Amino acid sequence: MPLFAIVAYDKTDDEAPARRRAARTAHFKRMTNAVKRKLIHFAGSMIADDGTMKCSIVICDFPERAQLDQWISEEPYVMNGAWDRIEVAPLFSAVENGEITQSWLKLMEAHISNS
C-alpha cells in the first residue's frame, strides 16, 4: 500500500484549544484503532514556541487515496472544527526503522548512472 503524509494545521482562534480537547478522546480511540489495523506508521504534533499545538503529522498507509480522504473526513478534529487546513501527499520513504530503504538506493543508483 502507498504511504501518505498528512499535515493538519490547527485553527488559531481562541476556542480552538477547547475544540481540540473536546474531540481528543474520540481522536485517540480512532487513531488507536487505525494503528491496530496497521494503517498508521507515525503520528505526532508539532508544538509552537508557546507550547500550543501547531499541527498534527500522520504517516499512514492506505490502499488508495479515496479511502484516505474518507477517513480524514470522519476525523473528530475535522468534524468539530479543531483542524483548519489539511495537506495530504504521497510519501516516498528514504529511511525506515533507522535503515536506508531499497527504493531509495535504487533511485540513487539510477540517478548516479544517469549523471
Side-chain angles (χ1 to χ4, degrees):
M1 290 194 288
L3 289 176
F4 293 93
I6 303 169
V7 180
Y9 295 89
D10 285 27
K11 289 187 177 176
T12 58
D13 61 276
D14 291 341
E15 292 78 30
R19 285 194 304 274
R20 182 182 255 278
R21 282 191 300 276
R24 187 169 284 144
T25 299
H27 168 76
F28 284 163
K29 182 177 179 181
R30 193 162 184 276
M31 291 296 284
T32 299
N33 183 42
V35 168
K36 288 178 183 176
R37 293 174 47 217
K38 307 282 190 221
L39 296 173
I40 306 297
H41 291 267
F42 171 88
S45 298
M46 287 180 67
I47 309 299
D49 291 339
D50 65 2
T52 59
M53 299 282 186
K54 184 176 181 176
C55 68
S56 298
I57 300 172
V58 179
I59 306 301
C60 55
D61 199 351
F62 277 77
E64 55 188 60
R65 174 65 188 260
Q67 289 175 312
L68 173 58
D69 290 341
Q70 179 65 36
W71 185 80
I72 291 170
S73 74
E74 297 167 354
E75 163 58 45
Y77 289 157
V78 169
M79 295 178 74
N80 86 338
W83 282 348
D84 186 14
R85 181 172 53 92
I86 301 169
E87 296 178 23
V88 179
L91 180 70
F92 179 82
S93 179
V95 177
E96 292 181 15
N97 301 316
E99 300 288 332
I100 294 174
T101 65
Q102 289 300 309
S103 341
W104 187 82
L105 290 173
K106 288 177 185 174
L107 181 68
M108 289 300 99
E109 184 177 291
H111 175 74
I112 291 168
S113 66
N114 291 332
S115 297

